[in-house]
Amino acid sequence: MKYAQVVILKKAGEFDAPLTYKIQNELNGICKIGSFVKVPLRSQEVDGIVIELDTKFPSDIDSEKIKEISEICDISIDFRHIELAKKIADYYRTSLTRSLRLLVPTAIWKGKLGEPMKVFYRIAEKRKDGNVTISSDDIRGAKQKEIVGLLSEVEELDESEINASKATMKSLIEKGIIEKIEKPIYVKPDYSQFPLIKLRHELNEGQQKALEEIRNSEKPILLHGITSSGKTEVYLRVILDVVKNNKQAILLVPEIALTPQMINYFKDFFGPHLALFHSKLSDGQRLIEWWKVKSGYAPLVIGSRSAIFAPAENLGVIILDEEHEWTYKQESSPYYQAHHIGEILSDLYKSKLILGSATPRLETMYKSKIGDYKYINLAERINKNELPKIEIIDLRDEFQKKNFSIFSLALQNKIKEKLEKKEQIILFVNQRGMASAVVCRDCGYTEECPHCEVSLKYHKNFRGGELVCHYCGFKKNQVITCPECKSPHIKHVGIGTQRVEEEVMKLYPDARVVRADSDTTSDKNGFEPIYNAFKKGDYDILVGTQMVAKGMDFENVSLIGIILADIGLHLPDFRSHERVFQLITQVSGRCGRGDTGGSVILQTYQPDNFAIQSASKNEYIEFIEKELEFREKLNYPPFHELIKFTVVGTDLEKLKKHIQIESEILEDIFEVNKLPFKIVFAPAMISKIAGRFYYHVLIRAKNAHVIFDYWKVPKYWRIDVDPIHTT
Ligand code: ADP
Ligand code: ZN
Ligand code: ZN
């Protein structure tokens, strides 16, 4: 007798653990790992997925009580995806049900197990062999005659090509003259027909060399290519390689709405045979995209983070474009990182994994440094243009010069010059981390934690202001004068896009300005209409947030103004410098892409900051080396693992006490295992919502996962393994 472990669909939460069922002999050969099955549960019959097959029944269950699987459905998921779900559940400490839900569209989860089918009509088989002639008595009326006439000429006809009522067709079917057949809508085409149109560019020497190296690499690949070095063209070649080999490709982008031009580009080569996954799909649409991939109809999947779970069972390559982007981390349960999923998949499917960026994540750089990844560099821009020159403007001087505008005099002059030349301008405002840090407007001094080298975060409380470190809980009162220069002009920093737009309209009333931020791009078209209009030249100035930094290709932009580069620096997060470097580089990369060269003006109160300095000189490797030293010294990732727990309670004192007790248990575990560690707890960024207090417990340790071998995570502690935000 064989047994199957079955995860029940629908009832997540109630039946998170798999249940055991018997497989009766006649189903033995066809019940596989990944099969969808119908099983009895209490008095009902429910759907489930087989995740394990055993030959002996689990010893803790009475074998008499084990029920039998009633039916095996036609649909299944690949056993390697089941393997992936198990690994996710294990690493990210979530239930199998939750991790399987990543792989199975909601519509299927809710019971829509059938493949999308199309209806065809044809002359009934038994009529066709000639023995039975169609008696004209059977066919009544002109309409029926017409239909039979039509069908006699062809093999079969699609439902949509027949103009007749349901009753007419039904009558013909009942008389046995015609028959109705169903066929899957999506079937695998001949992959050798791709690309559908001629390629646009010959690869240049650098691209060709990169492609060869990718072809030859057995390891995951980091494609470090400066902005506008032509990475997309290399991806396209790799994808075509894979498809020619009858395999499928997954291309991940940070956000679908921000990459319309890339999708359109690939659409030209693959036509409808492209599956698109993104967060705005309805359940029904997602199901259709899922089947396009499952059936092999789509050799190429493009999508944001979750597209990595597309059912490409013939997987040949996974590409993460702009791999440094934070959208690759899911920030709700299960808190997975797409890079990690990519590694697991490339291992299970023996497929390639390519991470591409002009500013790779420090973790990715580190892996290529120690040889886990193959490092490939594209160091030249396609048009051979130099990267734009970045000029740093010290805002402290402006303040002294009594220029109270948010634009420095240098920026004002440059904007004027570019407007006269009819060249375009992007003004970039970093919106993340607004107004959380305290900076001196005279000397640039920032309040940092003496222990953690991250900026302190301002908390308002009944006593006034308090500055808190989100790593160690260090606290001090808000300062009124700058400890460095005694200036009273020490305050929170933060400038919004609206302010910048107003300033533009005030200083340059004739300029045509458009704003791209969460207000102006929140409808379903997102950034695309603004992107298209700006690209076409309908506007002179684009004021935007992070979204303008992501992979946009604008030919006529020759000036970028970074209004306040400091903002991101003060995020109370150990990644804040890395992030600022990436943003400066990415946003600068938007100019000088066409024939017009480009310049960047970067405004800051901290011109000497290492991230700002190295970014302005394009010294990425040097920056990464130094950051790695810092991370190693302070035991941050990738040297130590990081696990973040979020704990919520209504009674603050009880909550703190509870955390204290659990922390002591955790400390013991690390001590017994002789592992270096640090456990801190601090209020969350938004520490009180609707009368409930939010606390984070942050564990930094070598092999932090060891805690799960000895300790049961208390109920209601939310677990984020490898968090991207630590606050
Ligand atoms: P990246 O992603 O590295 O920033 P892109 O892939 O967007 O760069 O390429 C920048 C521009 O160069 C695009 O307009 C692209 O069409 C063009 N391009 C890429 N490769 C070539 C090539 N080999 N010859 C001519 N133009 C190219
Ligand atoms: Zn000062
Ligand atoms: Zn601290």
Side-chain angles (χ1 to χ4, degrees):
M1 184 61 86
K2 267 197 168 181
Y3 299 88
Q5 304 274 348
V6 176
V7 166
I8 307 297
L9 305 187
K10 270 188 186 171
K11 305 241 173 148
E14 198 180 347
F15 291 105
D16 263 2
L19 304 175
T20 305
Y21 287 91
K22 274 184 210 161
I23 308 171
Q24 55 280 52
N25 288 334
E26 65 269 28
L27 296 182
N28 226 331
I30 48 171
C31 183
K32 295 173 302 181
I33 289 184
S35 294
F36 281 70
V37 290
K38 293 200 182 297
V39 291
L41 181 71
R42 297 192 183 141
S43 57
Q44 282 181 307
E45 190 152 272
V46 296
D47 300 322
I49 307 173
V50 175
I51 56 130
E52 194 91 65
L53 296 172
D54 303 308
T55 41
K56 41 184 209 312
F57 68 88
S59 54
D60 57 336
I61 305 174
D62 178 359
S63 78
E64 291 302 305
K65 283 201 182 140
I66 300 182
K67 293 179 184 163
E68 286 185 350
I69 288 177
S70 357
E71 197 184 311
I72 313 257
C73 310
D74 285 337
I75 158 178
S76 65
I77 20 183
D78 193 38
F79 68 95
R80 286 159 294 199
H81 270 158
I82 300 286
E83 194 59 33
L84 172 67
K86 288 180 188 168
K87 285 182 193 285
I88 291 172
D90 186 49
Y91 187 83
Y92 295 100
R93 311 306 298 181
T94 184
S95 70
L96 249 178
T97 311
R98 271 185 187 276
S99 63
L100 277 171
R101 271 174 175 257
L102 295 168
L103 291 152
V104 179
T106 309
I108 292 186
W109 201 266
K110 287 187 179 157
K112 208 166 166 41
L113 297 185
E115 191 170 353
M117 304 294 256
K118 219 172 165 166
V119 172
F120 291 85
Y121 292 100
R122 64 181 181 200
I123 299 293
E125 284 293 321
K126 61 179 190 311
R127 298 256 172 193
K128 273 205 224 149
D129 57 20
N131 294 336
V132 189
T133 45
I134 301 174
S135 145
S136 48
D137 293 348
D138 291 343
I139 306 167
R140 300 240 170 76
K143 196 78 205 173
Q144 293 198 356
K145 271 204 188 96
E146 180 197 323
I147 302 292
V148 174
L150 256 172
L151 289 176
S152 308
E153 313 262 296
V154 292
E155 186 78 22
E156 65 199 17
L157 270 183
D158 186 325
E159 186 179 32
S160 64
E161 291 170 293
I162 296 173
N163 177 24
S165 70
K166 278 215 168 77
T168 309
M169 301 310 281
K170 197 167 161 234
S171 153
L172 285 169
I173 292 169
E174 277 168 0
K175 284 182 284 193
I177 298 166
I178 66 168
E179 59 193 12
K180 181 172 156 181
I181 45 169
E182 289 198 336
K183 284 201 252 179
I185 297 180
Y186 300 109
V187 289
K188 184 175 176 292
D190 174 7
Y191 282 7
S192 67
Q193 64 173 305
F194 300 111
L196 300 175
I197 58 159
K198 213 169 137 275
L199 297 178
R200 307 253 168 88
H201 305 290
E202 292 269 338
L203 294 188
N204 67 25
E205 209 178 308
Q207 288 170 314
Q208 188 61 41
K209 191 162 159 280
L211 177 62
E212 292 306 329
E213 286 183 296
I214 292 171
R215 282 177 174 152
N216 294 330
S217 175
E218 297 281 320
K219 292 180 192 170
I221 291 134
L222 163 57
L223 180 61
H224 181 196
I226 60 170
T227 50
S228 200
S229 57
K231 293 185 285 295
T232 312
E233 211 62 35
V234 177
Y235 301 151
L236 174 63
R237 296 311 196 284
V238 178
I239 292 168
L240 289 172
D241 267 5
V242 158
V243 174
K244 287 247 145 59
N245 251 320
N246 247 321
K247 291 194 169 176
Q248 290 168 295
I250 298 178
L251 171 60
L252 297 190
V253 294
E255 247 171 280
I256 281 279
L258 299 183
T259 20
Q261 77 273 41
M262 187 156 178
I263 291 159
N264 288 333
Y265 191 65
F266 280 95
K267 251 185 206 156
D268 290 344
F269 299 108
F270 289 91
H273 297 275
L274 176 87
L276 270 184
F277 284 88
H278 55 86
S279 57
K280 296 224 167 90
L281 292 180
S282 68
D283 287 353
Q285 290 167 325
R286 183 171 290 268
L287 183 68
I288 288 173
E289 298 307 299
W290 192 86
W291 276 110
K292 282 186 193 166
V293 185
K294 175 88 179 167
S295 61
Y297 176 85
L300 174 60
V301 179
I302 301 185
S304 44
R305 181 180 66 235
S306 68
I308 200 158
F309 298 111
E313 295 173 2
N314 245 321
L315 188 62
V317 67
I318 300 172
I319 301 168
L320 272 72
D321 187 32
E322 311 285 356
E323 68 89 37
H324 60 278
E325 284 291 344
W326 287 5
T327 51
Y328 287 126
K329 167 84 176 174
Q330 169 137 314
E331 299 214 64
S332 57
S333 177
Y335 292 78
Y336 68 87
Q337 172 79 39
H339 297 66
H340 182 210
I341 306 301
E343 285 178 5
I344 300 173
L345 283 172
S346 76
D347 209 39
L348 289 169
Y349 284 92
K350 304 287 162 259
S351 59
K352 286 193 185 295
L353 173 65
I354 302 173
L355 310 173
S357 172
T359 50
R361 297 199 310 161
L362 183 137
E363 280 86 346
T364 307
M365 288 294 278
Y366 181 69
K367 284 190 177 173
S368 73
K369 190 178 149 149
I370 60 172
D372 286 358
Y373 291 170
K374 163 98 183 147
Y375 178 83
I376 300 176
N377 194 7
L378 276 177
E380 228 175 44
R381 296 187 117 183
I382 286 294
N383 54 16
K384 304 262 196 265
N385 276 354
E386 292 289 312
L387 284 169
K389 216 179 116 12
I390 300 179
E391 188 183 342
I392 299 179
I393 301 295
D394 187 343
L395 286 178
R396 295 170 302 184
D397 296 345
E398 301 294 317
F399 196 64
Q400 308 294 342
K401 284 189 234 158
K402 306 262 178 285
N403 169 23
F404 299 114
S405 163
I406 50 177
F407 300 156
S408 60
L409 296 176
L411 181 57
Q412 291 181 18
N413 291 336
K414 260 286 195 292
I415 293 176
K416 193 158 158 267
E417 178 196 322
K418 297 296 178 185
L419 286 174
E420 278 161 10
K421 281 206 215 152
K422 301 255 176 288
E423 290 171 6
Q424 287 176 299
I425 300 158
I426 294 177
L427 299 176
F428 170 70
V429 183
N430 185 357
Q431 235 167 17
R432 206 174 268 134
M434 282 254 296
S436 65
V438 175
V439 181
C440 171
R441 290 200 73 175
D442 279 307
C443 76
Y445 174 84
T446 333
E447 288 277 357
E448 279 193 353
C449 172
H451 314 297
C452 310
E453 297 186 31
V454 297
S455 62
L456 296 175
K457 193 190 159 302
Y458 176 76
H459 278 251
K460 211 172 157 146
N461 63 16
F462 53 90
R463 272 175 274 121
E466 195 173 46
L467 302 174
V468 182
C469 172
H470 281 251
Y471 281 87
C472 69
F474 171 84
K475 272 185 200 162
K476 66 186 273 190
N477 287 333
Q478 187 196 4
V479 285
I480 298 168
T481 50
C482 171
E484 223 31 45
C485 74
K486 309 288 175 256
S487 157
H489 302 120
I490 182 158
K491 59 167 202 173
H492 316 147
V493 287
I495 294 171
T497 42
Q498 235 162 332
R499 226 352 260 281
V500 173
E501 188 188 28
E502 283 160 19
E503 191 83 357
V504 168
M505 294 198 285
K506 200 172 90 197
L507 294 174
Y508 315 97
D510 295 333
R512 296 165 304 163
V513 53
V514 63
R515 183 156 59 89
D517 55 24
S518 49
D519 290 343
T520 60
T521 58
S522 57
D523 73 343
K524 77 174 193 332
N525 296 320
F527 184 42
E528 193 169 356
I530 295 176
Y531 168 81
N532 287 334
F534 186 65
K535 189 162 167 125
K536 236 172 56 210
D538 292 352
Y539 296 100
D540 306 306
I541 302 180
L542 170 64
V543 177
T545 56
Q546 268 74 351
M547 66 182 73
V548 304
K550 289 175 189 170
M552 301 291 153
D553 204 2
F554 301 111
E555 303 221 314
N556 193 35
V557 171
S558 66
L559 172 64
I560 309 270
I562 300 175
I563 304 303
L564 188 53
D566 307 30
I567 293 177
L569 286 178
H570 307 313
L571 270 178
D573 195 299
F574 69 93
R575 287 194 180 91
S576 64
H577 285 69
E578 178 186 352
R579 185 67 189 155
V580 163
F581 189 109
Q582 287 164 345
L583 267 175
I584 293 173
T585 309
Q586 294 294 342
V587 79
S588 306
R590 296 315 114 209
C591 81
R593 294 174 83 93
D595 299 328
T596 39
S599 52
V600 177
I601 293 197
L602 180 159
Q603 310 193 129
T604 176
Y605 288 108
Q606 286 175 285
D608 301 325
N609 176 278
F610 183 63
I612 289 182
Q613 278 292 331
S614 354
S616 71
K617 289 183 268 178
N618 283 307
E619 291 176 344
Y620 196 54
I621 305 287
E622 293 83 343
F623 171 74
I624 289 292
E625 286 295 329
K626 187 137 180 210
E627 275 292 288
L628 277 172
E629 269 173 38
F630 155 77
R631 298 257 189 116
E632 187 162 23
K633 199 175 94 206
L634 293 178
N635 293 338
Y636 283 121
F639 300 96
H640 276 196
E641 265 188 90
L642 205 60
I643 299 177
K644 178 172 92 176
F645 295 97
T646 305
V647 194
V648 190
T650 44
D651 182 330
L652 186 58
E653 284 318 305
K654 262 199 203 150
L655 179 69
K656 284 205 243 178
K657 182 112 207 222
H658 166 61
I659 294 174
Q660 184 66 42
I661 292 168
E662 296 296 332
S663 301
E664 279 163 21
I665 299 173
L666 292 172
E667 280 169 21
D668 285 348
I669 295 172
F670 286 119
E671 268 155 21
V672 167
N673 285 282
K674 299 194 171 52
L675 291 165
F677 72 97
K678 193 162 172 79
I679 300 172
V680 297
F681 51 94
M685 192 83 145
I686 303 163
S687 57
K688 195 176 174 195
I689 306 170
R692 284 144 57 93
F693 296 93
Y694 284 73
Y695 255 71
H696 289 317
V697 180
L698 201 61
I699 299 180
R700 229 187 299 163
K702 267 250 172 319
N703 191 12
H705 266 83
V706 73
I707 54 175
F708 301 116
D709 297 341
Y710 298 87
W711 173 71
K712 194 165 176 326
V713 184
K715 223 177 167 183
Y716 307 122
W717 280 40
R718 207 159 28 169
I719 313 171
D720 184 354
V721 173
D722 303 334
I724 197 93
H725 296 292
T726 47
T727 53

